[in-house]
């Protein structure tokens, strides 16, 4: 097959590289990691716990996305597809890095979602793309 057939994939690769962002460019320390609120200490603590839970689930989901995009990179048969999937791995890794930094700012992670872990296991162990969808 001629390489010109992969021009569309290369276009997506170039667009992904052009749009990539860096964790270091985010406004760390300039704004509170959790929107501030008023209320009793108990209300503020509950709100903080809720945000920690949401942040933990986002971290968990992006860790899964790192694993899945790595699998796609490794199984892609064509050079152009590997280039594109390499940008996906990098992007998901940046998301994970940002969530890790944010978890540190909010006092650590909350409880992991066991259903998300189960979904990750089922998806990563699937034999075909159709089974993982």
């Amino acid at each position: 097959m001629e390489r010109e057939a992969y021009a569309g994939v290369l276009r997506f690769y170039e667009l992904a590289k052009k749009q990539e962002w860096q964790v270091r460019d985010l406004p760390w320390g300039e704004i509170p990691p959790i929107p501030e609120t008023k209320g009793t200490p108990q209300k503020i603590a509950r709100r903080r716990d809720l945000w920690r839970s949401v942040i933990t689930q986002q971290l968990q989901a992006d860790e899964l996305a790192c694993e899945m995009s790595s699998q796609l990179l490794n199984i892609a048969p064509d050079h152009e597809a590997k280039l594109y999937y390499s940008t996906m791995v990098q992007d998901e890794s940046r998301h994970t890095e940002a969530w890790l930094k944010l978890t540190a700012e909010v006092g650590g992670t909350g409880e992991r979602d066991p259903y998300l872990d189960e979904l990750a296991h089922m998806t990563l162990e699937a034999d075909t793309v159709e089974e993982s969808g």
Side-chain angles (χ1 to χ4, degrees), residues 6 10 12 55 61 77:
Y6 296 100
L10 286 175
F12 284 118
I55 293 166

Side-chain angles (χ1 to χ4, degrees), residues 67-78:
E67 291 182 55
M68 293 177 75
S69 60
S70 293
Q71 278 190 352
L72 289 170
L73 172 64
N74 290 328
I75 65 172
D78 302 302

Side-chain angles (χ1 to χ4, degrees), residues 52-68:
R52 282 181 61 221
S53 174
V54 169
I55 293 166
T56 297
Q57 288 183 26
Q58 288 296 137
L59 170 61
Q60 190 178 353
D62 276 312
E63 288 172 339
L64 166 62
C66 281
E67 291 182 55
M68 293 177 75

Side-chain angles (χ1 to χ4, degrees), residues 97-109:
E97 179 184 359
W99 289 118
L100 284 167
K101 287 183 68 109
L102 189 57
T103 59
E105 287 193 7
V106 299
T109 58

